[in-house]
Amino acid sequence: MRIGRTAEPQEETLGTVAEYEGARYWRSVGLDIAVVDAAPRMSLGDGRSDPATAVSVLSDQSPGRGPRLGAYDPGDYHFVGLRGAGGGSPRRGGSGGPAGPAAPKTLLRPGDILFYDAELPHLLEMPAGARLKIFLLPRQLLGVGKHDLHRVTASPVRSASLLGSLVSPFLSELAEMVTSASPSVGETVARNALDLLATLVMEQHAPPPADMADARRAMLLKIQRFITHHLSDPDLSPEAIARAHHISVRYLHKLFRDEGTTVGRWIRGRRLEECQRELVLARGRQTIAGVARRWGFISPTHFSRVFRATYGMSPSEWQGAAS
């Protein structure tokens, strides 16, 4: 399909973005990026993980069934599509959004950032000269649950806002450079983009305080159970924990910071508690170094130092006092 360029919003036959001239795609670290240089009227999002289809038109989807988005000025527009961890199947019929052709339209401006549910098609009406920069990622990477999407997708982050003025230019440049950058550079910058988007979710589209506190507390308890189960793993790290829970490292650190501690300090404290208990139970059957190694301390010297700093005595002194 060839897209003509006029001064008015396009009314082209629906087809996939992959058919459009100039569309470019990139994928890494759980983030898909698509740049569409010519944006006609189209449906945005079908819930699949392939970036060529994640920004595609559902040809069997009635245009009036999903939320409507529109713009009248040329320029760059940033869309952040949130999907389930596995992509999932598209939801048909536009459930969850305004129904019918009279559904209200959200008017976008160049540089605006809009979070949207990638599993729910949105009718998108753009003028000639508009460029779509679409960032598709699992919602769990941003700490957004399935039932919290409506809070995230309620309104665009305006490019003139404080956070928008910082993040929008970065997203624009990222989308332009990743297709030509080396893999290591692209992955590093993409991870920074994930952290920035997580910040937007938390600060710009935060849920009501009571709900937010409950959700964060539930996530924190889940993470603490995971850490306790993996205490013996010397490779347990913030990156591994965040990856296992589909959240950003930044969000993980924030959860523990809100509790007045850090991830590393909490892990070390739990390991010391287990070592303290086992030093008594395993007295005479296991060496101090063996106990330390069993609970994730690689260096016996480091273990003795942090044990003394925490309990005011060495591991051997603790064993003797408990006998």
Side-chain angles (χ1 to χ4, degrees), residues 56-291:
S56 72
V57 170
L58 300 179
S59 57
D60 58 344
Q61 177 71 39
S62 175
R65 299 289 290 180
R68 303 169 62 211
L69 308 169
Y72 297 102
D73 296 320
D76 289 357
Y77 294 82
H78 306 120
F79 296 90
V80 183
L82 304 181
R83 55 175 170 79
S89 301
R91 294 197 298 269
R92 303 295 179 178
S95 61
K105 178 189 293 185
T106 298
L107 185 62
L108 305 175
R109 306 185 185 105
D112 283 354
I113 304 169
L114 184 79
F115 292 88
Y116 72 96
D117 184 350
E119 298 170 6
L120 177 64
H122 293 61
L123 184 64
L124 183 65
E125 188 175 353
M126 308 293 287
R131 303 177 72 237
L132 308 187
K133 296 183 176 180
I134 301 163
F135 305 81
L136 181 71
L137 66 160
R139 58 179 179 265
Q140 290 89 340
L141 286 181
L142 302 186
V144 179
K146 180 177 180 180
H147 300 293
D148 295 326
L149 274 178
H150 67 282
R151 296 194 180 111
V152 177
T153 58
S155 61
V157 180
R158 298 298 184 187
S159 60
S161 67
L162 178 59
L163 283 174
S165 65
L166 296 173
V167 179
S168 180
F170 176 83
L171 293 179
S172 185
E173 291 298 323
L174 170 64
E176 294 295 336
M177 62 84 66
V178 289
T179 54
S180 59
S182 66
S184 59
V185 172
E187 289 185 7
T188 299
V189 178
R191 290 185 189 279
N192 290 334
L194 291 177
D195 285 342
L196 285 174
L197 291 173
T199 300
L200 281 184
V201 169
M202 288 186 291
E203 302 297 334
Q204 190 79 6
H205 298 288
D211 291 349
M212 182 171 58
D214 290 345
R216 288 182 178 176
R217 184 62 183 169
M219 176 60 75
L220 179 64
L221 292 174
K222 180 180 179 181
I223 290 170
Q224 289 173 339
R225 288 193 296 269
F226 175 87
I227 291 173
T228 297
H229 185 69
H230 293 84
L231 279 177
S232 61
D233 183 359
D235 295 325
L236 186 65
S237 66
E239 290 76 17
I241 296 168
R243 185 167 56 250
H245 292 84
H246 307 290
I247 61 176
S248 69
V249 175
R250 180 189 297 270
Y251 184 64
L252 173 67
H253 285 307
K254 177 173 174 56
L255 287 174
F256 281 84
R257 187 169 64 248
D258 290 346
E259 297 295 311
T261 187
T262 67
V263 181
R265 192 182 305 150
W266 200 88
I267 293 174
R268 186 180 62 192
R270 285 292 293 112
R271 283 174 168 166
L272 285 173
E273 289 172 2
E274 294 298 334
C275 288
Q276 182 189 46
R277 177 183 60 82
E278 193 160 324
L279 282 171
V280 176
L281 297 177
R283 186 173 57 251
R285 298 193 306 273
Q286 193 171 5
T287 65
I288 291 174
V291 171

